[in-house]
Amino acid sequence: MKNIRNFCVIAHIDHGKSTLSDRLLEYTKTISEREMQNQALDNMDLERERGITIKSHAIQMYYDRGSDGQKYTFNLIDTPGHVDFSYEVSRSIAACEGALLLVDASQGIQAQTISNLYLAIEHDLEIIPILNKVDMDSAMIDEVSDQIIDLIGCEKEDIILASGKTGRGVPDIMEAIVERIPAPEGDVDAPLQALIFDSVFNPYRGVIAYFRILNGTLNKGDLVRFVNTGKEYEADEVGVLRMSQHPQPKLQAGNVGYIITGIKESKEIKVGDTITTVDRPCENAIQGFEDVKPMVFAGIFPLDNDDFEDLRDSLEKLQLNDASLVFEPETSAALGFGFRCGFLGMLHLEIVQERLFREFNMDVITTVPNVSYNLSTKKGEISTIRTPSELPDHNYIEYVEEPYITAQIITKPDYIGTIMTLCMDKRGTLTKQHYLTPDRVELSFDLPLAEIVFDFYDRLKSISRGYASFDYQPIEYRETDLVKLDIKLNGEPVDALSALVHRSKAEAFGRQICKKLKELLPRQQFVIAIQAAVGAKVIARETISALRKDVTAKCYGGDISRKRKLLEKQKEGKRRMRQFGKVEVPQKAFLDVLKLD
Amino acid sequence: MPGLYLHIPFCKQACHYCNFHFSTSLKYRGEMVKAIARELGFRKDYLTDKRLDSIYFGGGTPSLLTAAELAFLFEAISRHFEVSPGAEVTLEANPDDLTPERLASLRQSAVNRLSIGLQSFSEEDLRFFNRAHSADEAARCLDLALEAGFDDLSVDLIYGSPTTTDAQWERNLDEVFRRRIPHLSCYALTVEPQTALDHFVRKGKAPQVDEAQAARQFSYLAQRAASEGYAHYEISNFALPGRYARHNSSYWKGEHYLGVGPSAHSFDGASRQWNVAHNAKYLKALQSESPQGFFEREELSVADRYNEYIMTGLRTSWGVSLEQIQAIDPQAAPHFQREAHIFLEQGQLVQSGGRFFLSPQARFLADGIAAALFW
């Protein structure tokens, strides 16, 4: 156990985490240059494109240390980097003893890094600061080093200068991992206690859970119990992960590995759960388990009504490796049969929609997302509202409650004013203001969850120039004044665009949606009236003028190919439209309409 | 019978709206003429039928060619092809090049038709377009060309420019119709990407093109041309009876053509190909021992051919015929009829016998309708 080191990498998007991870894999010969695909750890196309790590991964490397002739086992646990997935991050961190804090020397510490860093410090992880991309002309080595020293209180010599591109600093990092990160502690003879920090779905093997053993030993063939779900399985295979799975007869305390039990649905494996043996169960589950609940709900409908069953199949398959996705059938007057889906946040929603398209070739329309509300009627009935159509006429309503969260925002003092303004605008109240260092302040707000669902995170990032970290936890439901906002196109309501909003926000929101739709809807041969209404009252309106000219001036020998392709593209775009009355709405408009600026 | 297109990629100065391929450096003109002549020989077998019914010098500005250069190209053409008696031989010319001497010399050449890039009779328009000629030169060149004996003339005009008032547009048309110029091409000013005009509009230095104004001026043009006895035979083209542009019509009728010179396109019925739109690369390839790699080529699928037929056919007064659609593919006809239904109902398509045409009101919406009928 003394030769094992478990660590994760904390970095802002684009600060070179994946590239540096690749260098470590190369240096330890875990992966040969030939099999090297850039950013080997992010193996979903979507992740690679967006430059974010959605699901965490774990990989084992061996380091032959020349100075003491010893062989060390490194377990690198990769972490997701978006607030939608903060629970997964916290579980990954809980599986480590150390963290590499990776900072881009040309950009300095970015706020997103900070909340994960504090999470790591909270879990007593040893932090190894690394200044990356030091070979770039724009690198500000002294300045960024000072920022790091300020933040974690290390010495300047502790900071390793590195370049993922050239491989500079990699040997120093290897040494620092051995020297500074403590070896895991634990009792190999105690009852098994292993923390699940991630799971993936494999179409041939079922769900594979990744775990870190805190105490005890897990043998192939053991009968195991997952403490929180209470389910029992046989450990068909246990092993460690290198670039592929390497089965082992047993794994002991301190190590990181995977287990295959023939579980078919990832719903059965919950990140944060504890694995123990049925024969000799541990006394306590590992702390910190949470059942991750969806925060945001939206309808997903097939673009073509005939594809309803295919959509169900696709969602079921997606759910196999995305346990946080939930769905149930729903019908809409305008969109026909579809599903009401629950997501962790807006990014999760976008990812699901994109995966449906890429992996299953499903074209879908997503309705305006909302949170769930508690409804109490005058008759004393209590129910949950998860779609705008479920909100009854206000005569029937005793009261409605909406979920609140408590948000922690860490930023520079310069941005306190603008962030306060933003949070007030979002119906928030400041509950705490606390200086962490003279240059770093933590603000706490109570905010309605509904207000952070849409554009809060993006706006926070832009008003603070990226210098604000954001994290939140749900707290309670509070009474609210909720209205249903309808969008009409030439008088025809489009229920996919209906939204549940606070009365004070209805007009502004309606105006924004109308304005955005004006940009997104293609002009047609007639005038299109876009209206936002609460009940019978129209509160916002935009008009799209009729298309007067839609013809290319010149169409001679050289123009024919180019123009044909242009029109073919136009036709393809039309296929991905849905008609409301006479008005055609592109599929893309349903999601883009929510990208309010 | 097939046509031949020669692209002369040089201009004195760049018009702000133009996205055709040209260079304002005339340094390599002599070499270019030789290279084009070489390409003619090299590609003489592209056309199965070697009797040319039309020859078209386009550009760029072909009127920049000297009499000797023109003669040299004609010599190459007649060496490799058979020019039909009565073939239409068009040269695109700019008003500033059409001096009495030049016109006299052109009359001595094989050129029998001039397509004049006149664009407007208004100084304000011409400056906005960055044309090389003045309003005076515009009016004068027409009279000079007619005096020189060129009765086969075509004039290009641009409408819908922020500088063109309705009254000016009317005056422009007056000038053309008064002279009974037999052929007229009128183009709505279009902001093409990566042109100077595009840049100005983006920077706010030029106003956006006003679509309603363009539609209004187009509608005036269509009515006026009809009352003057001109056939509106293609979206942008008008002719006195029997004076259609034969070469350009071949593009819309699906006839074969060979295009030589940088960026020129060719069509042999089954595929299209286009030369590199780069003078230096073109020269380099054509000056090498065995010229190659100077063009790209695209084989047309059945759907491509159907789509092209719909797209080009609907622009013309001949429309599209069910019979010809059927000939492209038996499946195409039912598809067309299914998709055309709504437009017939709305009166945007008109059926007569086995042919389908755009109604006059639908002409300015031709692209969207064609796209909807695509396969």
Side-chain angles (χ1 to χ4, degrees), chain A residues 407-458:
Chain A
Q408 295 82 45
I409 296 170
I410 299 169
T411 187
K412 281 181 153 185
D414 304 1
Y415 301 115
I416 293 177
T418 48
I419 289 173
M420 294 259 263
T421 309
L422 171 66
C423 291
M424 297 302 165
D425 180 50
K426 294 288 187 183
R427 299 189 284 129
T429 46
L430 180 70
T431 55
K432 200 174 81 181
Q433 179 171 342
H434 166 62
Y435 278 83
L436 303 166
T437 69
D439 196 31
R440 201 157 302 279
V441 61
E442 181 183 3
L443 304 169
S444 299
F445 292 90
D446 284 359
L447 279 158
L449 176 63
E451 295 286 345
I452 65 158
V453 164
F454 289 120
D455 58 345
F456 181 82
Y457 195 46
D458 289 337

Side-chain angles (χ1 to χ4, degrees), chain A residues 523 525 546-565 567-568 570-571 574-575 582, chain B residues 20 187-188 211 215 236-237 248 251-252 257 265 272 298 300 304 307-308 311 315 348 364-368 371-372 374:
Chain A
R523 290 194 304 155
Q525 291 172 24
L547 181 65
R548 301 289 305 277
K549 173 179 181 287
D550 179 21
V551 63
T552 318
K554 295 190 181 186
C555 188
Y556 299 118
D559 306 305
I560 294 173
S561 268
R562 184 173 58 95
K563 199 167 121 69
R564 187 194 79 228
K565 284 169 193 157
L567 295 188
E568 280 168 353
Q570 198 175 314
K571 165 114 188 175
K574 253 193 137 85
R575 279 200 187 108
K582 273 174 77 186
Chain B
F20 284 96
Y187 304 112
E211 201 176 89
S236 301
N237 287 280
N248 283 346
Y251 296 135
W252 310 317
Y257 53 89
H265 284 239
R272 293 189 182 277
E298 177 189 32
L300 299 178
D304 291 341
N307 290 351
E308 287 187 353
M311 180 181 85
R315 291 177 67 93
Q348 295 184 312
F364 228 43
L365 301 168
D367 284 2
F374 269 19

